[in-house]
Amino acid sequence: MEVRRRLTKPSAAAAADEPFKSHKQRHIHDSSPKASDALPLPLYLTNVLFFALFFSVMYFLLVRWREKIRNSTPLHVVTLSELAALVLLVASAIYLLGFFGIGFVQSFIYRANQDVWEVEDGSHVEQYILEEDRRLGPCASVRPPPVRKNVPVVPQHPAEGATALPEKPAEIFSPAASGDDEEIIKSIVEGKIPSYALENKLGDCKRAAAIRREALQRITGKSLAGLPLEGFNYESILGQCCEMPVGYVQIPVGIAGPLLLDGREYSVPMATTEGCLVASTNRGCKAIYASGGAASMVLRDGMTRAPVVRFGTSKRAAELKFFVEDPSNFDTLAAVFNKSSRFARLQSIQCAIAGKNLYMRFTCSTGDAMGMNMVSKGVQNVIDFLQTEYPDMDVLGITGNYCSDKKPAAVNWIEGRGKSVVCEAIIKEEVVKKVLKTNVASLVELNVLKNLTGSAMAGALGGFNAHASNIVSAVYIATGQDPAQNVESSHCITMMEPVNDGKDLHISVTMPSIEVGTIGGGTQLASQSACLNLLGVKGASMESPGSNARLLATVVAGAVLAGELSLMSAISAGQLVSSHMKYNRSSKDITKLSS
Ligand code: ADP
């Protein structure tokens, strides 16, 4: 705690009040001398004196006033004693107002402006207002950060740091916290500063994360040792990837491959904590490689967004449906839609009606971006355009779940969303035996009974596979995709059929909704960007916009193919439990276990 100069020692009562004063009050109180500091008596005695004076003089004047009314004496005729009483009344009122009134008024002003707070920078105090600063944008562009004093250094690893909860969290969690940072941490803990505003206020994202983290530890009494703070670029996530960071979670990235796909080799990065997953996918890649590789086709490429609008009658809703689905209106609507981005190109609008509510599913290509922002902007353009022609149209939401984003829905399974990809390979008989340790007939039979019949019995929606979501999620996390979209991106039907007189295995995965991008969102972060680079699909394709994202979608499908092949073989050979015991339970050398 910073020690500040005082003219006199504070009274016990004032000291007891100290923690309960606002940040602002404390600044004012701590840093500047006040008239009360020079009082000859202790503060509470002076206050009692002035209170007593105020009320006794007030009583005296009221008594005198009543007598004057009874005697019909004019009120403005005052005696010397009344004049003195008036002077004393005004003086004591000024004292009491000055002492209690300002604090009282300040407490209201402060409460009304929770977002206004101060950062002391050397000799001056700057007042920042949240909303204005927000518009200033990222940390770097806000304003020069205040002179930084020691940021609390929190132990990063359990071995190096605290293992048991401290009795006094503040002392254990941040032994080095002091100065400005300590002041800010305390203000957050006391609820006087909103934690979300730190980045914009301080102009230093790393420092903001450190302060927020320390405040969180003190508020919860829980240690974050083990959740690293150092080694991450917090500037890179501001306004795009994550709010209110306090650190980052480490997920190991394993490599499956080489995956031989369409004549090219890919090392597939998979971020996962599920033992066996990378090893299993790697085995599938090995089987595909040994059989001459896999081939893929992108069947469709279009991101969707479906707003919901309401009319007074179903007839009016149907009129708009016919209007937007009329091919002669398409060019006009496409021109309006495409203004949103040079990469957004409207492909179709498919409508569904529920009573007087209309759902318009817009599909558009989005270049190398996954495209949710892009398609939403285009849809907004068209909605604004339609509103002039259909003023009775009530726009209830830019998204009405007929899109359908991050929820299991038949519309994606049937119509597709993002990239629709089919990927296939013919696995040779000897590879099935030597690498996969099973046989073609068993695999085909298991696929029918598990992935087709079993899933049908379960009422599956797009879940006609063994574990597509395992591979999709791991590749999505490694490459900066939106992991929540694994819901529909994992829709997959795995087919296995005997070919070449029943000797070899034809395996395919058909995935209608792979939602990936190589630009935007989390793809620009350093780690995720490195994984995209490894696959040769980092960023936007200059030659052919969209080709990087499509290529990534085929790699996802190829990796799923490998994963399906390996897991189905393990189940068919009765190895599933034994291999999981080996990989999930042991920390021993796993390199010997995969082939
Ligand atoms: P998303 O729609 O996936 O959320 P954004 O629209 O936020 O992604 O990010 C895409 C941004 O990248 C847009 O501003 C777009 O203009 C730009 N961009 C540059 N090159 C490309 C490209 N080849 N494909 C798609 N977007 C691109």
Side-chain angles (χ1 to χ4, degrees):
M1 175 87 187
E2 197 174 332
V3 179
R4 293 177 193 274
R5 188 168 55 91
R6 290 171 188 274
L7 288 184
T8 58
K9 209 176 167 197
S11 71
D17 276 342
E18 193 66 15
F20 302 103
K21 285 182 182 165
S22 73
H23 184 69
K24 198 173 197 173
Q25 280 174 304
R26 207 162 353 109
H27 264 297
I28 294 164
H29 176 76
D30 289 349
S31 56
S32 56
K34 291 187 291 300
S36 62
D37 294 336
L39 288 172
L41 289 172
L43 202 57
Y44 70 97
L45 277 183
T46 319
N47 289 346
V48 168
L49 191 73
F50 273 95
F51 260 116
L53 189 66
F54 179 81
F55 285 110
S56 53
V57 167
M58 173 78 87
Y59 177 76
F60 170 76
L61 285 172
L62 283 173
V63 170
R64 296 290 303 149
W65 189 26
R66 196 178 59 181
E67 281 173 11
K68 279 186 182 179
I69 290 169
R70 277 192 190 150
N71 304 336
S72 303
T73 313
L75 286 177
H76 62 270
V77 179
V78 285
T79 62
L80 202 62
S81 61
E82 286 168 355
L83 201 64
L86 276 172
V87 170
L88 285 175
L89 182 75
V90 172
S92 55
I94 288 172
Y95 174 88
L96 292 174
L97 267 179
F99 196 84
F100 296 104
I102 289 174
F104 183 67
V105 171
Q106 273 179 345
S107 72
F108 275 99
I109 292 171
Y110 185 77
R111 241 175 273 156
N113 295 285
Q114 276 287 318
D115 288 342
V116 182
W117 57 290
E118 297 165 349
V119 175
E120 193 178 288
D121 180 4
S123 60
H124 70 283
V125 175
E126 282 186 293
Q127 195 171 67
Y128 297 150
I129 298 177
L130 176 69
E131 283 308 319
E132 283 178 8
D133 277 1
R134 261 206 190 133
R135 274 180 253 129
L136 293 176
C139 280
S141 65
V142 176
R143 61 183 83 198
V147 177
R148 186 182 172 184
K149 299 186 185 167
N150 297 331
V151 169
V153 179
V154 180
Q156 295 295 305
H157 305 291
E160 300 159 18
T163 48
L165 272 185
E167 238 170 47
K168 284 186 186 171
E171 287 172 19
I172 305 292
F173 288 142
S174 79
S178 65
D180 286 351
D181 289 352
E182 181 59 34
E183 288 287 306
I184 299 169
I185 290 165
K186 279 189 178 162
S187 296
I188 292 172
V189 171
E190 288 165 14
K192 291 167 185 164
I193 291 176
S195 162
Y196 63 79
L198 284 171
E199 277 77 4
N200 273 338
K201 304 300 178 195
L202 301 175
D204 179 345
C205 293
K206 164 83 186 305
R207 183 182 170 209
I211 288 172
R212 179 180 298 111
R213 176 193 177 96
E214 179 58 26
L216 181 68
Q217 291 183 120
R218 292 187 195 183
I219 290 165
T220 60
K222 301 277 192 290
S223 168
L224 285 175
L227 182 79
L229 172 73
E230 302 293 334
F232 190 80
N233 179 1
Y234 292 90
E235 259 78 17
S236 68
I237 57 171
L238 185 74
Q240 190 161 11
C241 295
C242 183
E243 298 76 38
M244 297 195 276
V246 292
Y248 59 98
V249 166
Q250 296 160 301
I251 303 178
V253 175
I255 294 294
L259 169 69
L260 184 55
L261 179 69
D262 300 319
R264 284 172 63 177
E265 291 182 16
Y266 299 94
S267 296
V268 184
M270 299 174 71
T272 182
T273 52
E274 186 185 353
C276 219
L277 181 60
V278 181
S280 176
T281 311
N282 192 53
R283 182 173 77 148
C285 289
K286 184 176 178 181
I288 292 170
Y289 198 102
S291 302
S296 68
M297 286 292 290
V298 176
L299 307 169
R300 205 167 17 196
D301 179 8
M303 182 42 70
T304 66
R305 184 53 102 195
V308 51
V309 298
R310 181 169 57 193
F311 286 90
T313 62
S314 302
K315 184 170 175 288
R316 283 291 287 163
E319 280 170 13
L320 180 55
K321 169 183 159 66
F322 294 138
F323 177 83
V324 297
E325 288 183 343
D326 185 343
S328 64
N329 293 326
F330 182 81
D331 286 348
T332 309
L333 295 175
V336 173
F337 184 99
N338 296 346
K339 277 192 292 181
S340 69
S341 162
R342 65 205 151 112
F343 300 99
R345 292 292 169 264
L346 184 65
Q347 296 172 359
S348 65
I349 308 171
Q350 181 191 3
C351 294
I353 279 189
K356 48 199 180 59
N357 306 298
L358 177 66
Y359 300 81
M360 295 175 278
R361 192 172 189 260
F362 291 75
T363 306
C364 77
S365 44
T366 56
D368 288 307
M370 180 273 287
M372 287 303 302
N373 285 331
M374 218 178 267
V375 67
S376 300
K377 281 190 237 163
V379 167
Q380 189 62 55
N381 288 349
V382 176
I383 292 287
D384 294 344
F385 173 79
L386 291 173
Q387 193 82 72
T388 56
E389 296 294 317
Y390 293 82
D392 53 336
M393 178 176 80
D394 184 8
V395 181
L396 293 172
I398 185 88
T399 166
N401 274 11
Y402 187 52
C403 316
S404 183
D405 193 40
K406 302 174 185 176
K407 290 158 288 272
V411 72
N412 294 334
W413 173 235
I414 296 166
E415 298 292 334
R417 188 166 199 254
K419 280 80 177 150
S420 303
V421 180
V422 61
C423 185
E424 65 183 341
I426 293 175
I427 310 300
K428 293 190 183 123
E429 184 182 31
E430 63 269 25
V431 175
V432 174
K433 274 193 194 134
K434 284 192 185 138
V435 178
L436 301 173
K437 313 276 193 272
T438 183
N439 60 72
V440 173
S442 299
L443 274 175
V444 170
E445 185 182 33
L446 180 67
N447 192 65
V448 169
L449 291 178
K450 173 183 162 64
N451 287 344
L452 305 184
T453 315
S455 294
M457 294 304 291
L461 176 60
F464 301 94
N465 59 78
H467 71 149
S469 73
N470 256 336
I471 289 90
V472 169
S473 302
V475 176
Y476 271 32
I477 294 169
T479 59
Q481 311 305 314
D482 187 339
Q485 288 185 320
N486 111 87
V487 173
E488 59 269 32
S489 294
S490 300
H491 284 344
C492 170
I493 184 163
T494 300
M495 300 294 293
M496 292 189 187
E497 291 160 56
V499 291
N500 302 332
D501 298 327
K503 284 195 295 181
D504 301 335
L505 175 76
H506 181 275
I507 177 172
S508 67
V509 292
T510 308
M511 304 179 68
S513 335
I514 300 179
E515 296 152 337
V516 288
T518 58
I519 189 167
T523 63
Q524 42 90 25
L525 301 177
S527 317
Q528 290 83 339
S529 173
C531 290
L532 288 169
N533 192 42
L534 179 71
L535 292 169
V537 294
K538 180 180 161 182
S541 164
M542 294 301 157
E543 310 82 49
S544 165
S547 60
N548 275 355
R550 281 192 291 275
L551 191 55
L552 178 59
T554 64
V555 171
V556 170
V560 168
L561 188 83
E564 290 290 280
L565 194 56
S566 183
L567 177 57
M568 289 296 285
S569 302
I571 297 171
S572 158
Q575 295 169 340
L576 181 68
V577 175
S578 61
S579 65
H580 266 83
M581 289 301 103
K582 226 170 184 179
Y583 286 86
N584 274 343
R585 292 276 172 88
S586 169
S587 58
K588 302 215 172 78
D589 183 9
I590 62 165
T591 55
K592 296 182 190 131
L593 304 174
S594 76
S595 61

XYZ file of all heavy atoms in Angstrom, residues 25 28 34 94-110:
168
model
N -12.933 9.017 -3.129
C -12.827 9.702 -1.854
C -11.448 9.488 -1.270
O -10.857 10.406 -0.723
C -13.867 9.160 -0.881
C -15.249 9.732 -1.112
C -16.223 9.034 -0.210
O -16.320 7.814 -0.248
N -16.927 9.780 0.603
N -8.869 11.620 -2.809
C -8.955 13.011 -2.381
C -8.451 13.127 -0.946
O -7.641 13.955 -0.600
C -10.418 13.506 -2.485
C -10.823 13.533 -3.953
C -10.581 14.873 -1.864
C -12.301 13.613 -4.171
N -6.733 18.927 4.413
C -8.054 19.546 4.526
C -8.094 20.453 5.747
O -7.263 20.334 6.647
C -9.116 18.453 4.653
C -9.291 17.670 3.373
C -10.436 16.719 3.471
C -10.136 15.595 4.432
N -8.980 14.813 4.040
N -22.819 25.796 7.578
C -21.727 25.716 6.588
C -20.741 24.620 6.982
O -20.320 23.804 6.166
C -21.006 27.089 6.459
C -21.930 28.075 5.736
C -19.691 26.944 5.698
C -21.407 29.505 5.713
N -20.400 24.572 8.278
C -19.454 23.545 8.721
C -20.015 22.141 8.465
O -19.343 21.278 7.880
C -19.151 23.709 10.219
C -18.295 22.566 10.743
C -16.904 22.634 10.675
C -18.880 21.411 11.260
C -16.122 21.572 11.110
C -18.112 20.344 11.696
C -16.729 20.428 11.619
O -15.972 19.377 12.037
N -21.262 21.952 8.902
C -21.833 20.596 8.787
C -22.001 20.177 7.330
O -21.738 19.022 6.971
C -23.181 20.527 9.514
C -23.066 20.655 11.038
C -24.447 20.737 11.669
C -22.300 19.476 11.623
N -22.427 21.131 6.508
C -22.580 20.814 5.072
C -21.232 20.474 4.443
O -21.079 19.518 3.686
C -23.195 21.996 4.325
C -24.717 21.979 4.176
C -25.172 23.221 3.450
C -25.152 20.729 3.402
N -20.232 21.327 4.825
C -18.886 21.116 4.273
C -18.334 19.763 4.683
O -17.673 19.072 3.910
N -18.639 19.368 5.901
C -18.042 18.127 6.392
C -18.778 16.887 5.906
O -18.189 15.935 5.409
C -18.022 18.151 7.922
C -17.095 17.103 8.484
C -15.737 17.370 8.612
C -17.570 15.860 8.834
C -14.888 16.394 9.095
C -16.724 14.884 9.318
C -15.369 15.165 9.457
N -20.133 16.924 6.076
C -20.890 15.723 5.712
C -21.553 15.837 4.342
O -21.721 14.864 3.650
C -21.991 15.453 6.749
C -21.442 15.141 8.092
C -21.461 16.081 9.112
C -20.871 13.904 8.349
C -20.933 15.791 10.354
C -20.347 13.609 9.600
C -20.372 14.554 10.599
N -21.904 17.059 4.003
C -22.697 17.256 2.776
C -21.969 16.845 1.527
O -22.510 16.130 0.681
N -20.688 17.220 1.411
C -19.958 16.930 0.175
C -19.808 15.425 -0.017
O -20.066 14.872 -1.073
C -18.584 17.643 0.194
C -18.826 19.145 0.028
C -17.687 17.116 -0.916
C -17.600 19.996 0.174
N -19.454 14.750 1.101
C -19.334 13.291 1.028
C -20.648 12.643 0.627
O -20.696 11.712 -0.170
N -21.753 13.221 1.200
C -23.077 12.680 0.904
C -23.401 12.835 -0.590
O -23.805 11.896 -1.269
C -24.089 13.452 1.760
C -25.490 12.965 1.621
C -25.858 11.706 2.086
C -26.466 13.747 1.020
C -27.152 11.259 1.977
C -27.760 13.303 0.897
C -28.103 12.060 1.371
N -23.161 14.049 -1.104
C -23.428 14.311 -2.530
C -22.512 13.454 -3.395
O -22.929 12.842 -4.376
C -23.223 15.816 -2.840
C -23.276 16.060 -4.345
C -24.283 16.636 -2.142
N -21.228 13.363 -2.971
C -20.274 12.566 -3.755
C -20.692 11.108 -3.850
O -20.538 10.456 -4.869
C -18.884 12.638 -3.117
C -18.087 13.829 -3.610
C -16.731 13.875 -2.940
O -16.490 13.215 -1.938
N -15.840 14.651 -3.507
N -21.234 10.602 -2.734
C -21.614 9.191 -2.756
C -22.681 8.945 -3.806
O -22.717 7.908 -4.443
C -22.095 8.744 -1.379
O -23.370 9.307 -1.114
N -23.567 9.941 -4.023
C -24.587 9.779 -5.065
C -23.969 9.871 -6.453
O -24.241 9.073 -7.338
C -25.673 10.855 -4.914
C -26.721 10.448 -3.930
C -26.690 10.913 -2.633
C -27.715 9.548 -4.287
C -27.635 10.516 -1.717
C -28.674 9.145 -3.377
C -28.643 9.630 -2.085
N -23.094 10.874 -6.622
C -22.456 11.056 -7.936
C -21.663 9.804 -8.281
O -21.711 9.281 -9.382
C -21.522 12.296 -7.932
C -22.369 13.556 -7.795
C -20.689 12.357 -9.200
C -21.553 14.808 -7.562
N -20.956 9.281 -7.281
C -20.113 8.121 -7.571
C -20.939 6.911 -7.973
O -20.643 6.200 -8.905
C -19.260 7.777 -6.343
C -18.300 6.672 -6.650
C -17.153 6.934 -7.381
C -18.571 5.367 -6.278
C -16.279 5.919 -7.717
C -17.703 4.356 -6.603
C -16.552 4.635 -7.318
O -15.718 3.628 -7.657
